């Protein structure tokens, strides 16, 4: 039975669920004296300093008591005594990340920002939280490294295996483990991009860098990654008065830099070149919208595969509103043209690996994996694809498979039993895949999505066959409801 525990919550709950409003905002020209008065009046403990509505500094109670009270006068401005730059966490960061950062920096609290670097709240680390961590503290410390050090990012990636194994031993929900692995990959993405920004800035390609969003697609976009996903990413950027060719050159260099860092951190280059270094996946927002419209106007098999790859995307860095606007455009165009049947046909060959007589369908062509079962591409993937198609049809905007299942249940597309069944199917197969990947890593073998069904217990084989059979039936149901709907 899969379960949750208090310590596991640190690795599955988001910072936004724990943040407070324990701060006041002041302009950089405000005096320390007036700012402290505001702090007392509003009964808060932290001063956040802004310049043109951008956070540029922070002053804590500790700062006031230990140094500012003895060095400032009535005319001293907050900009003269604030701490800058401000250390922070994002709203969708996981709680353990905030705890690890505070431990490393010896801080009691951190500001919480959205992707646009606007402050949303504060996250505190109190004594009670520290006391409850127990042996999890070591795991947190082992994943908190220098943000400017690529070797630290490599260590974070290596720690994923240890963490996944520990959580599997505790029978944690596989979905929670996948979310955590996806989150850690996003941490690596963000730091890799920040490092790339510094290096590319030295090339002086453009003067004014426009806002942009780096997106991840596929399982990373759904926050459902396993241990060794490759890169599926893109860049959406705004335009300005500068030469469009130079703008794209800047983002090309940025993409080449951070994708190389990701590859060094064992998030390998995509074999299909689904990366921001490829101009197909790196465009201004107007160009992205035009490209999406062209894909849907042409609706060739390749165009629909591109749409299929793009659909499950998430902004992991930069201005998330750009990704939101592209998603809205994509959804509007999909429904306007009623092209779901073509999306279905692009996925038609993906099916559950179960035969007519209830036997597993094993690999026959790939010499390295002959006789093995591809539990991702012929297990979880056809389930994910089917749920995605129903979600597009019924205008469900959620990204993760479980959230989509819940929304489809509310819309009566799936009944309670079906929703519960497919969630359990996804959990069961994900658990087998994760255990297999952890074991292969411990043996020094390459991580892959193939398993040997002979290694499963008889009970596991029976349960897996039941799930695969139902997924195959779901796939057939999708064909009737979507693949043949508009003929």
């Amino acid at each position: 039975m899969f379960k949750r525990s208090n310590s596991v919550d640190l690795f599955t709950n988001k910072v936004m669920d724990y943040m407070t409003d324990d701060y006041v905002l002041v302009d950089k020209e405000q005096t320390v004296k007036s700012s402290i008065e505001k702090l007392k009046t509003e009964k808060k403990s932290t001063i956040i300093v802004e310049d043109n509505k951008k956070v540029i500094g922070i002053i804590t109670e500790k700062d006031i008591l230990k140094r500012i009270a003895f060095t400032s006068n009535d005319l001293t401005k907050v900009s003269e005594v604030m701490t800058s730059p401000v250390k922070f966490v994002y709203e969708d960061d996981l709680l353990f990340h905030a705890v690890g950062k505070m431990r490393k920096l010896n801080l009691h609290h951190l500001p919480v920002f959205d992707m646009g670097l606007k402050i949303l709240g504060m996250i505190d680390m109190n004594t009670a939280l520290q006391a409850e961590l127990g042996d999890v503290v070591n795991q947190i410390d082992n994943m908190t490294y220098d943000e400017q050090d690529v070797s630290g990012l490599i260590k974070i990636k290596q720690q994923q295996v240890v963490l996944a194994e520990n959580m599997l031993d505790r029978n944690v929900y596989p979905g929670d483990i996948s979310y955590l692995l996806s989150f850690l990959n996003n941490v690596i993405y963000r730091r890799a991009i920040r490092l790339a920004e510094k290096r590319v800035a030295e090339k002086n390609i453009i003067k004014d860098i426009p806002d942009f969003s780096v997106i991840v697609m596929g399982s990373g976009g759904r926050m459902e990654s396993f241990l060794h996903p490759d890169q599926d990413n893109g860049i959406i950027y705004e335009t300005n008065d500068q030469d469009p060719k130079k703008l794209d050159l800047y983002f090309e260099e940025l993409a080449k830099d951070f994708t190389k860092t990701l590859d060094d951190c064992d998030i390998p280059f995509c074999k299909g070149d689904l990366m921001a270094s490829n101009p197909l996946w790196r465009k201004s927002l107007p160009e992205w919208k035009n490209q999406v419209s062209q894909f849907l106007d042409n609706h060739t098999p390749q165009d629909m595969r591109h749409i299929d790859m793009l659909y499950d995307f998430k902004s992991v860095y930069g201005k998330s509103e750009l990704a939101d606007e592209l998603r809205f455009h994509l959804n509007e165009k999909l429904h306007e043209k009623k092209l779901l049947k073509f999306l279905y046909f692009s996925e038609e060959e993906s099916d559950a690996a179960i035969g007519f007589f209830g036997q597993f369908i094993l690999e026959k062509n790939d010499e390295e994996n002959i006789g093995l079962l591809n539990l991702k591409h012929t297990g979880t993937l056809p389930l994910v694809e089917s749920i995605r198609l129903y979600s597009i049809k019924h205008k469900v905007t959620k990204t993760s498979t479980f959230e989509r299942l819940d929304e489809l249940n509310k819309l009566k597309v799936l009944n309670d039993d079906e929703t519960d069944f497919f969630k359990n199917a996804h959990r069961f197969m994900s658990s087998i895949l994760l255990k297999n990947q952890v074991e292969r890593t411990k043996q020094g073998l390459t991580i892959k999505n193939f398993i040997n069904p002979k290694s499963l217990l008889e009970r596991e084989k029976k349960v897996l066959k039941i799930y695969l059979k139902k997924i195959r039936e779901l796939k057939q149901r999708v064909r009737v409801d979507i693949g043949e709907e508009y003929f």
Side-chain angles (χ1 to χ4, degrees):
M1 180 67 69
F2 299 121
K3 63 182 180 181
R4 297 176 186 267
S5 69
N6 290 338
S7 61
V8 165
D9 286 344
L10 285 167
F11 294 102
T12 58
N13 289 355
K14 298 178 183 179
V15 167
M16 69 176 71
D17 298 323
Y18 292 83
M19 66 184 183
T20 70
D21 62 352
D22 188 23
Y23 67 95
V24 295
L25 289 171
V26 303
D27 185 78
K28 69 174 183 176
E29 297 299 320
Q30 290 293 312
T31 65
V32 172
K33 181 179 179 181
S34 64
S35 299
I36 292 176
E37 286 299 320
K38 185 176 182 180
L39 206 63
K40 291 179 179 178
T41 301
E42 298 189 22
K43 297 180 179 180
K44 307 295 184 182
S45 64
T46 305
I47 298 170
I48 299 294
V49 184
E50 289 188 313
D51 180 20
N52 292 323
K53 297 186 177 180
K54 288 188 177 181
V55 173
I56 61 169
I58 184 171
I59 301 173
T60 66
E61 279 186 323
K62 184 179 178 181
D63 294 330
I64 296 170
L65 292 173
K66 288 195 171 184
R67 58 186 181 88
I68 296 175
F70 303 103
T71 60
S72 64
N73 55 49
D74 290 352
L75 299 178
T76 302
K77 297 178 181 179
V78 289
S79 58
E80 298 176 46
V81 296
M82 67 186 184
T83 298
S84 181
V86 179
K87 303 296 183 181
F88 65 93
V89 287
Y90 289 106
E91 59 181 316
D92 64 346
D93 281 353
L94 294 179
L95 185 59
F96 90 87
H97 185 61
V99 172
K101 200 163 191 175
M102 286 186 280
R103 282 175 57 82
K104 176 187 173 185
L105 299 172
N106 193 27
L107 300 173
H108 294 290
H109 36 244
L110 284 171
V112 181
F113 289 175
D114 65 12
M115 284 295 174
L117 300 183
K118 176 183 177 183
I119 187 167
L120 300 177
M122 299 291 295
I123 180 74
D124 300 319
M125 183 171 70
N126 52 47
T127 304
L129 179 58
Q130 295 181 61
E132 290 177 358
L133 297 184
D135 62 341
V136 178
V137 169
N138 290 331
Q139 294 179 29
I140 290 174
D141 289 344
N142 285 336
M143 288 182 289
T144 309
Y145 297 98
D146 188 345
E147 297 195 11
Q148 308 306 316
D149 187 357
V150 174
S151 65
L153 302 186
I154 294 172
K155 291 176 183 177
I156 291 176
K157 188 63 180 175
Q158 292 170 342
Q159 282 294 318
Q160 287 185 340
V161 177
V162 177
L163 187 57
E165 182 178 16
N166 290 343
M167 297 180 83
L168 285 167
D169 288 343
R170 299 182 186 191
N171 295 318
V172 176
Y173 283 108
D176 285 345
I177 301 175
S178 292
Y179 191 97
L180 172 58
L181 297 177
S182 302
F183 167 77
L184 290 172
N185 288 338
N186 290 349
V187 169
I188 296 171
Y189 256 92
R190 289 167 181 166
R191 296 185 186 179
I193 296 164
R194 285 197 286 267
L195 291 173
E197 284 181 306
K198 292 181 179 179
R199 287 192 286 256
V200 177
E202 296 174 357
K203 298 182 179 182
N204 295 316
I205 298 172
I206 52 177
K207 293 182 179 179
D208 299 315
I209 300 170
D211 286 331
F212 66 97
S213 170
V214 176
I215 59 174
V216 296
M217 296 171 267
S219 61
R222 298 191 303 273
M223 299 296 283
E224 295 171 359
S225 295
F226 295 117
L227 277 173
H228 195 62
D230 59 5
Q231 296 184 42
D232 295 327
N233 53 61
I235 293 179
I236 311 166
Y237 59 86
E238 291 184 340
T239 55
N240 56 27
D241 295 334
Q242 298 176 95
D243 183 350
K245 290 184 179 180
K246 286 189 176 181
L247 275 180
D248 188 64
L249 177 60
Y250 169 82
F251 287 110
E252 179 184 6
E253 292 298 311
L254 185 74
K256 287 179 178 178
D257 193 299
F258 81 73
T259 54
K260 174 61 169 60
T261 298
L262 294 176
D263 186 65
D264 291 340
C265 296
D266 203 27
I267 304 179
F269 291 126
C270 175
K271 293 179 181 178
D273 205 16
L274 180 57
M275 298 182 294
S277 51
N278 178 348
L280 185 67
W281 305 104
R282 180 191 71 248
K283 297 182 182 298
S284 68
L285 181 59
E287 289 172 332
W288 265 109
K289 289 181 177 180
N290 183 57
Q291 177 168 279
V292 165
S293 297
Q294 287 182 357
F295 284 158
L296 296 178
D297 286 338
N298 297 332
H299 57 72
T300 66
Q302 184 61 52
D303 290 329
M304 300 315 289
R305 278 192 288 272
H306 286 153
I307 291 293
D308 194 41
M309 290 186 287
L310 173 65
Y311 191 79
D312 291 342
F313 72 86
K314 172 185 176 66
S315 176
V316 295
Y317 187 86
K319 188 174 181 179
S320 59
E321 289 85 354
L322 294 170
D324 294 337
E325 190 170 340
L326 179 61
R327 186 182 305 283
F328 179 81
H329 176 79
L330 173 57
N331 285 329
E332 288 293 302
K333 289 296 180 180
L334 269 173
H335 289 282
E336 173 188 307
K337 298 181 180 300
K338 295 188 175 181
L339 294 171
L340 277 176
K341 64 178 180 182
F342 295 105
L343 271 180
Y344 170 81
F345 291 146
S346 72
E347 302 171 353
E348 190 172 20
E349 294 181 1
S350 168
D351 208 349
I354 191 78
F356 182 78
F357 297 104
Q359 78 280 17
F360 289 125
I361 298 177
L362 306 178
E363 180 60 41
K364 297 179 180 178
N365 300 317
D366 183 351
E367 291 187 7
E368 184 181 344
N369 298 298
I370 288 177
L372 301 181
L373 175 64
N374 191 331
L375 197 52
K376 179 177 180 180
H377 290 281
T378 59
T380 58
L381 187 60
L383 173 58
V384 167
E385 289 174 343
S386 297
I387 299 306
R388 178 171 60 228
L389 284 170
Y390 274 129
S391 298
I392 296 172
K393 174 180 172 64
H394 295 280
K395 299 186 178 182
V396 172
T397 58
K398 301 293 185 181
T399 306
S400 80
T401 300
F402 276 32
E403 289 176 322
R404 288 170 174 173
L405 280 165
D406 287 335
E407 291 299 309
L408 292 172
N409 177 246
K410 292 176 184 178
L411 295 170
K412 307 300 182 185
V413 178
L414 299 172
N415 61 39
D416 292 346
D417 289 339
E418 290 171 326
T419 302
D420 185 60
F421 181 91
F422 290 125
K423 283 184 177 181
N424 285 329
H426 195 282
R427 291 188 188 111
F428 183 78
M429 291 185 290
S430 296
S431 178
I432 292 175
L433 271 169
L434 283 167
K435 288 177 181 177
N436 182 65
Q437 291 184 343
V438 167
E439 188 58 35
R440 289 186 64 85
T441 301
K442 290 167 65 176
Q443 295 177 16
L445 300 174
T446 303
I447 293 177
K448 55 185 179 181
N449 298 314
F450 286 88
I451 67 162
N452 185 351
K454 293 180 181 179
S455 66
L456 300 175
L457 300 173
E458 287 302 316
R459 178 186 61 81
E460 291 175 323
K461 292 178 186 177
K462 291 179 181 178
V463 172
L464 181 56
K465 286 181 178 181
I466 292 171
Y467 285 142
L468 290 175
K469 181 181 178 181
K470 289 294 184 182
I471 292 171
R472 187 162 195 168
E473 291 175 1
L474 176 66
K475 191 83 175 180
Q476 293 167 349
R477 176 175 161 184
V478 171
R479 176 179 177 84
V480 173
D481 291 347
I482 293 175
E484 300 175 353
E485 182 170 11
Y486 302 113
F487 286 107

